[in-house]
Amino acid sequence: MDTTTGPTFRYATDADVDDLVALVESAYRGEASRAGWTTEADILEGQRTDPEGVLEVVKSPGSRLLTVEQDGRIVACCQIEHRGEHAYFGMFAVSPALQGAGLGKVVMAEAERQARETWGVAEMHMTVISVREDLIAWYERRGYRRTGKMTPFPYGDERFGIPRRADLQFELLVKSLV
């Protein structure tokens, strides 16, 4: 008998912080992240997030940390934050073992739906490290467009990782939700 259940969505609580940090780290940093395709291990070392950063998102009144559970464990997450006329999409992570199976598309669609219905925003914004061409292409296939607007990577702030190259910056991607 198959007891596998589909993903369920809920907002993260304080009790989820350690599991969420572990999920984000597994999707982006270190050797374990190489099991999926979203790894940043070739461009960044060190941490991607920490318990304080995740708890700040959980506690922020204008922000939601959407958590996805499957078979009783957290397998994906993303942040949606209300920023006036638009929402911001961030802290997106899918368990490396489940990447490439369509879960990310489902999570992104749910985040967009919630931002539109909860806050009535017309656009979703995100920032992506500009050298992540494969990831940016994935977002473009989901309707996001490159803006060419860049912001500097926070070199020297190890809370965001230790860069392995000197040309890192963030590009703003935007999608219309109407």
Side-chain angles (χ1 to χ4, degrees):
M1 177 172 158
D2 185 6
T3 59
T4 302
T5 58
T8 57
F9 294 88
R10 65 175 176 82
Y11 293 129
T13 67
D14 299 13
D16 297 318
V17 168
D18 290 340
D19 288 340
L20 289 165
V21 170
L23 171 66
V24 171
E25 293 299 315
S26 75
Y28 292 98
R29 295 292 200 278
E31 286 305 310
S33 70
R34 293 183 191 280
W37 68 274
T38 61
T39 183
E40 296 171 341
D42 292 331
I43 60 172
L44 289 160
E45 296 175 342
Q47 71 178 31
R48 178 66 153 39
T49 192
D50 56 33
E52 294 77 20
V54 173
L55 187 59
E56 186 177 321
V57 172
V58 169
K59 295 283 194 194
S60 176
S63 186
R64 308 281 185 273
L65 189 50
L66 186 61
T67 300
V68 183
E69 289 184 332
Q70 193 165 331
D71 299 326
R73 63 184 185 94
I74 296 173
V75 296
C77 68
C78 69
Q79 172 193 14
I80 52 175
E81 182 177 321
H82 188 207
R83 295 187 179 176
E85 297 295 312
H86 69 274
Y88 179 79
F89 179 84
M91 206 179 290
F92 185 32
V94 174
S95 172
L98 298 176
Q99 290 177 18
L103 181 58
K105 294 177 206 172
V106 171
V107 173
M108 179 167 271
E110 178 63 13
E112 292 165 355
R113 184 192 69 76
Q114 288 196 23
R116 188 175 47 250
E117 292 181 8
T118 303
W119 299 310
V121 295
E123 287 184 337
M124 184 76 87
H125 291 196
M126 73 170 73
T127 55
V128 180
I129 297 174
S130 63
V131 298
R132 297 291 318 276
E133 294 292 339
D134 54 343
L135 187 57
I136 291 171
W138 189 86
Y139 288 129
E140 287 179 311
R141 290 191 299 275
R142 305 243 124 54
Y144 286 81
R145 64 177 173 77
R146 298 182 85 155
T147 65
K149 293 179 184 171
M150 303 292 180
T151 53
F153 186 87
Y155 284 91
D157 188 342
E158 292 189 6
R159 291 177 304 159
F160 300 97
I162 303 165
R164 299 180 70 180
R165 47 192 289 179
D167 62 343
L168 301 183
Q169 57 186 343
F170 294 104
E171 182 172 2
L172 174 66
L173 276 59
V174 175
K175 179 178 181 176
S176 173
L177 299 180
V178 292

